[in-house]
């Protein structure tokens, strides 16, 4: 098998040039999907017979929540690459993924609370496993960000955060299951189940899919832009960056 | 080849354990502080929440577990700190034994000094907090199996931050969320025993956590130490 593509990934310059070509397309697709998704979700979804208009919040909530689950696996994979191959690029991606992931988790909690305040009659419900485990995912991501900012040496910070991301990724799964187990015992039949959602027809799930694609594109674009910034900052002494900056 | 002269890994494990215990014995105050901290935090709850025995009884298991968690976190700072500062940690990393066993020995010594006293005194505090008597055994056994897990998990966080000047809060931010499953299993075991559930199931789960932590956490700690000490 030809592994040159993998070694090329280690070159920040190659990544920068590649994403320069991709970005216009990605941003274009993101704008279209976001515009369609947000307008459709927030203005045109018919009211649910039980949940009335609040389902519109859920479309955004589900999309953001789904994406926020991708951060720890992403950071764990990037961390493994950092630890094993010492690829600088993997760390640049991981560094920017952590705060982004914390924001995604926060937005998930916020939109979930907004929906819950109407549908459940409460902003916060300890007996829902998803809420609690999302909160701890948020805390763990904040921990990674805090460790990164505390360690001054770039190389040490990269490897320390890589390790913490791998440990955190395993831990999120354990927390998820233990919180679920905790709740099953506390409250055998949860009145908070979202089974109403699956009963919905295409007028609900089509905009949800559009929104999920939109949020994933937003995630990709944000991460790529942040990583490009990071590349320019860390490689500021490299000839190609100097050339790029002097041209602009 | 001086193979015959160099002691086995088992000897290295015991030597590290003994060294840490001797150091702890010579610094009795360091030993006493987490213990006193545990006692004081546990007694703050009745003052802060309610002196009503019934309500205290309901929350006592959680109070004890959270106090033990905080005491373990506080004691963590001693784990690698002084060794890092006087350079003996570097020697530990350089010596030709698997770091896994040496880290395990250090964690074990640390737990014997800071975790075990807390576990031993927990029935007394449980009595003061009016925990129903049926739950004493459960509480004691889950703390006995759970506090080593807290030490092993905390060790990862300490190892990652050992090079930092001020790290008290960052250690808490990293370590506390990781301890949630242990806290859940521990308090749930006590509550469920009070509801008449069999004890063995919770001990099995606690035991599974302990074994997982014993096998994996020292590996992560060892890797973290190698990262922190260049």
């Amino acid at each position: 098998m030809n592994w040159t593509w993998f070694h090329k990934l280690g070159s920040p310059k190659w990544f920068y040039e590649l994403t320069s070509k991709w970005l216009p397309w990605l941003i274009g697709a993101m704008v279209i999907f976001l515009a369609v998704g947000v307008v459709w979700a927030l203005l045109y979804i018919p009211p649910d017979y039980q949940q009335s208009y609040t389902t519109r919040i859920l479309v955004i909530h589900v999309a953001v929540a789904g994406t926020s689950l991708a951060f720890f696996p992403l950071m764990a994979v990037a961390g493994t690459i950092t630890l094993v191959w010492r690829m600088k690029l993997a760390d640049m991606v991981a560094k920017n993924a952590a705060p982004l992931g914390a924001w995604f988790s926060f937005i998930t909690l916020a939109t979930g609370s907004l929906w819950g305040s109407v549908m459940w009659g409460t902003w916060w419900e300890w007996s829902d496993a998803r809420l609690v485990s999302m909160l701890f995912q948020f805390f763990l991501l904040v921990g990674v960000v805090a460790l990164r900012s505390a360690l001054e040496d770039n190389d040490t910070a990269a490897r320390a955060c890589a390790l913490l991301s791998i440990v955190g990724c395993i831990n999120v799964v354990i927390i998820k299951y233990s919180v679920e187990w905790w709740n099953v015992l506390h409250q055998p039949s949860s009145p908070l189940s979202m089974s109403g959602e699956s009963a919905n027809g295409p007028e609900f799930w089509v905009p949800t899919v559009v929104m999920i694609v939109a949020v994933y594109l937003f995630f990709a674009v944000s991460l790529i832009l942040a990583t490009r910034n990071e590349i320019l900052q860390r490689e500021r002494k490299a000839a190609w960056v100097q050339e790029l900056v002097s041209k602009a | 080849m001086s193979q015959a002269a160099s002691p086995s890994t088992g000897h290295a494990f015991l030597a590290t354990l003994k060294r840490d215990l001797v150091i702890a014995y010579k610094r009795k105050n360091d030993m006493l502080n987490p213990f006193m901290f545990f006692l004081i935090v546990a007694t703050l709850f009745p003052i802060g929440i309610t002196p009503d025995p019934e309500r205290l009884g309901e929350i006592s298991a959680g109070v004890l577990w959270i106090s033990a968690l905080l005491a373990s976190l506080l004691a963590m700072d001693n784990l690698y700190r002084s060794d890092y500062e006087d350079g003996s940690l570097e020697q530990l990393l350089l010596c030709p034994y698997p770091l896994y066993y040496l880290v395990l020995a250090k964690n074990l010594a640390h737990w014997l000094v800071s975790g075990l006293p807390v576990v031993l005194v927990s029935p007394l505090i449980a009595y003061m907090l009016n925990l129903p008597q049926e739950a004493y055994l459960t509480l004691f056994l889950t703390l006995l199996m759970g506090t080593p897990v807290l030490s092993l998990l905390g060790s990862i966080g300490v190892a990652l931050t050992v090079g930092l000047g001020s790290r008290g809060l960052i250690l808490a931010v990293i370590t506390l969320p990781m301890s949630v499953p242990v806290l859940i299993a521990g308090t749930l075991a006590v509550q469920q025993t009070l509801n008449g559930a069999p004890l063995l199931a919770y001990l099995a789960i606690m035991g599974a956590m302990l074994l997982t932590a014993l096998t994996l956490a020292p590996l992560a700690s060892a890797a973290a130490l190698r990262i922190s000490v260049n």
Side-chain angles (χ1 to χ4, degrees), chain B residues 13 17 29-30 43 51 92 104 146 157-158 160 174 206-207 216-217 222:
Chain B
F13 177 84
L17 182 66
N29 261 345
D30 285 5
T43 49
L92 209 68
L104 195 62
V158 187
L160 282 172
I174 292 175
M206 220 33 154
L216 294 180

Side-chain angles (χ1 to χ4, degrees), chain B residues 10-224:
Chain B
H11 276 108
F13 177 84
L14 288 176
T16 315
L17 182 66
K18 194 179 156 199
R19 172 182 171 272
D20 275 29
L21 288 177
V22 169
I23 290 177
Y25 183 74
K26 288 187 174 166
R27 288 192 212 144
K28 291 193 191 62
N29 261 345
D30 285 5
M31 243 169 92
L32 206 60
N33 282 342
F35 181 71
M36 288 312 295
F37 179 83
F38 174 73
L39 289 182
I40 293 169
V41 169
T43 49
L44 285 180
F45 280 91
I47 295 168
I49 297 175
T50 171
D52 173 28
E54 285 221 348
R55 281 176 67 199
L56 268 184
E58 282 171 25
I59 59 165
S60 53
V63 167
L64 279 159
W65 262 100
I66 291 173
S67 308
L69 179 59
L70 293 178
S72 147
L73 182 76
L74 187 81
M76 275 301 149
D77 208 47
N78 297 333
L79 185 51
Y80 302 114
R81 190 52 175 282
S82 56
D83 283 353
Y84 176 77
E85 280 169 358
D86 66 15
S88 47
L89 192 61
E90 252 170 77
Q91 299 306 317
L92 209 68
L93 298 188
L94 288 174
C95 74
Y97 298 103
L99 196 51
Y100 173 90
Y101 292 104
L102 304 182
V103 166
L104 195 62
K106 287 189 83 66
N107 287 0
L108 179 61
H110 186 260
W111 177 74
L112 285 174
V113 169
S114 66
L116 193 58
V118 164
V119 177
L120 291 179
V121 80
S122 64
L124 180 67
I125 309 290
Y127 181 75
M128 283 171 72
L129 294 176
N130 201 36
L131 181 77
Q133 271 180 358
E134 308 89 88
Y136 273 38
L137 185 66
T138 316
L139 179 79
F140 184 77
L141 289 178
T142 49
L143 274 175
L144 189 66
M145 291 163 90
T147 45
V149 182
L150 299 179
S151 291
L152 288 161
L153 284 177
S155 159
I156 304 174
V158 187
L160 282 172
T161 53
V162 76
L164 291 174
S166 58
R167 66 221 163 95
L169 284 174
I170 217 179
L171 186 60
V173 170
I174 292 175
T175 319
L176 287 180
M178 289 198 212
S179 319
V180 170
V182 185
L183 188 64
I184 289 178
T187 51
L188 204 61
V190 175
Q191 280 167 12
Q192 293 299 306
T193 322
L194 290 177
N195 296 343
L199 171 59
L200 206 60
Y202 293 93
L203 290 188
I205 284 175
M206 220 33 154
M209 283 188 182
L210 178 59
L211 286 179
T212 314
L214 271 175
T215 42
L216 294 180
L219 287 177
S221 296

Side-chain angles (χ1 to χ4, degrees), chain A residues 83 132 136 139-140 142-144 146-153 155-157 159-161 163-164 167-168 170-171 174-175 178-182 185-186, chain B residues 153 156 160-161 163-164 166 170 173-174 176-181 184-185 187-188 191-192 202 205 209 212 216 219-221 223-228 230:
Chain A
L83 287 177
V132 180
F136 282 106
F139 288 157
L140 284 169
V142 169
V144 178
L147 183 66
R148 171 80 66 174
S149 62
L151 292 166
E152 276 167 13
D153 180 56
D155 189 46
T156 312
R159 290 189 293 147
C161 288
L163 188 72
L164 188 62
V167 173
I170 298 168
N171 223 274
I174 297 177
I175 289 176
S178 59
V179 173
E180 247 167 44
W181 179 61
W182 177 52
L185 286 164
H186 268 251
Chain B
L153 284 177
I156 304 174
L160 282 172
T161 53
L164 291 174
S166 58
I170 217 179
V173 170
I174 292 175
L176 287 180
M178 289 198 212
S179 319
V180 170
I184 289 178
T187 51
L188 204 61
Q191 280 167 12
Q192 293 299 306
Y202 293 93
I205 284 175
M209 283 188 182
T212 314
L216 294 180
L219 287 177
S221 296
L225 283 178
R226 288 203 194 282
I227 291 168
S228 292
N230 276 318

Side-chain angles (χ1 to χ4, degrees), chain A residues 184-227:
Chain A
V184 167
L185 286 164
H186 268 251
Q187 207 171 36
S189 64
S190 171
L192 311 177
S193 101
M194 287 215 288
S195 56
E197 194 192 317
S198 56
N200 279 291
E203 76 275 10
F204 184 78
W205 65 256
V206 174
T208 306
V209 170
V210 172
M211 206 57 211
I212 289 174
V213 174
V215 172
Y216 260 102
L217 283 167
F218 175 71
F219 157 59
V221 169
S222 318
L223 193 56
I224 288 174
L225 284 176
T227 307

